Amino acid sequence: MTQLALVIDLNVCVGCHACVTSCKEWNTSGWAGPMVDQRPYDKDPTGTFFNRVQMFEVGEYPNTETVHFPKSCLHCEEPPCVPVCPTGASYKRSDNGVVLVDYDKCIGCKYCSWACPYGVRELDAKQKIMKKCTLCIDRVTDNSLPESERKPACVLACPTSARIFGDVHDPESEASVAIRENGGYQLMPEWGSKPSNHYLPRRKTRIQIFEDELERADNPLLKEAPLPAAEGETLDDIAY
């Protein structure tokens, strides 16, 4: 059986949030909308997002790195959200393995959210129903689009090609090759949900920073001395 999924390369993701904004744009204009944002930035932010980028600082000062970690529905092969749904609103497509929600059946009980070990279910504040990443199934299955455009919006928008889309059950697909050749892994496999989305690990060589290298030559915290005036020039003539 075909299993469509994303493979995310953490080595090249720069945390630009292009995937977040493109996902929002495509889905709010389609059948998954409106995905309202009544208070997206202030204290106790609210809003419905199918894709989020989490950021972590790892290591010990001064040798720290920022890791950008995109996360959305992982379209599990054994999705725990499906059997707990009392109305059958959560289901897994038999033809491509994508996990979806039938909005006409959803009653917003949040059982699927409690069952999901990855925290990727979202309650739409306006419609009072549960929503999640659809892998842009409306784009992927739209034969009126050129084949090159039948991909999730986040994949098309990523400027660093950190997101690969394909059939992870096809050993010759780009997604499967990337997993096999780059040590791709599943997120929290111990839950037994068999997530279809995979991650490619960071492969950057760490740069050791020593204490005597912390003071920059252009340290902005130090008050800079005035530039020396050229012959015949006064300090009033110098632009800072």
Side-chain angles (χ1 to χ4, degrees), residues 37-199:
D37 285 323
Q38 297 174 337
R39 191 174 62 252
Y41 301 114
D42 297 329
K43 183 180 179 181
D44 299 323
T46 62
T48 306
F49 291 84
F50 290 174
N51 183 72
R52 297 178 185 270
V53 178
Q54 300 173 336
M55 298 184 184
F56 306 92
E57 185 175 286
V58 298
E60 295 184 4
Y61 179 85
N63 298 290
T64 59
E65 297 177 72
T66 299
V67 177
H68 307 288
F69 196 89
K71 194 172 72 172
S72 57
C73 173
L74 302 172
H75 298 280
C76 303
E77 297 199 40
E78 300 291 341
C81 58
V82 171
V84 301
C85 181
T87 65
S90 290
Y91 67 100
K92 185 176 178 67
R93 285 184 55 149
S94 59
D95 57 341
N96 53 35
V98 176
V99 179
L100 297 172
V101 179
D102 185 335
Y103 300 143
D104 292 330
K105 294 181 179 179
C106 181
I107 57 175
C109 67
K110 299 184 181 180
Y111 278 9
C112 57
S113 178
W114 297 334
C116 176
Y118 306 106
V120 293
R121 290 284 180 139
E122 303 269 345
L123 177 66
D124 189 289
K126 183 175 182 179
Q127 293 183 305
K128 306 300 182 184
I129 56 178
M130 303 305 294
K131 296 184 178 181
K132 55 176 285 301
C133 164
T134 66
L135 270 185
C136 291
I137 196 65
D138 47 342
R139 286 188 66 100
V140 173
T141 58
D142 187 353
N143 292 327
S144 67
L145 293 174
E147 187 173 356
S148 61
E149 296 182 16
R150 286 181 231 154
K151 297 178 181 179
C154 61
V155 175
L156 295 172
C158 182
T160 61
S161 299
R163 305 170 81 90
I164 303 169
F165 172 70
D167 180 7
V168 293
H169 282 182
D170 177 4
E172 302 305 317
S173 71
E174 182 184 2
S176 291
V177 171
I179 294 171
R180 186 168 60 248
E181 295 185 353
N182 296 284
Y185 64 92
Q186 296 171 312
L187 186 62
M188 297 161 58
E190 63 272 16
W191 284 98
S193 58
K194 299 180 181 178
S196 298
N197 284 9
H198 284 67
Y199 291 88

Side-chain angles (χ1 to χ4, degrees), residues 228-234 237-238:
E231 184 176 355
E233 184 178 41
T234 66
D237 299 324
I238 301 175

Side-chain angles (χ1 to χ4, degrees), residues 183-213:
Y185 64 92
Q186 296 171 312
L187 186 62
M188 297 161 58
E190 63 272 16
W191 284 98
S193 58
K194 299 180 181 178
S196 298
N197 284 9
H198 284 67
Y199 291 88
L200 304 184
R202 288 170 59 84
R203 302 178 297 279
K204 291 183 178 179
T205 302
R206 293 181 180 273
I207 300 175
Q208 183 73 23
I209 300 176
F210 298 96
E211 292 290 338
D212 58 356
E213 296 176 337

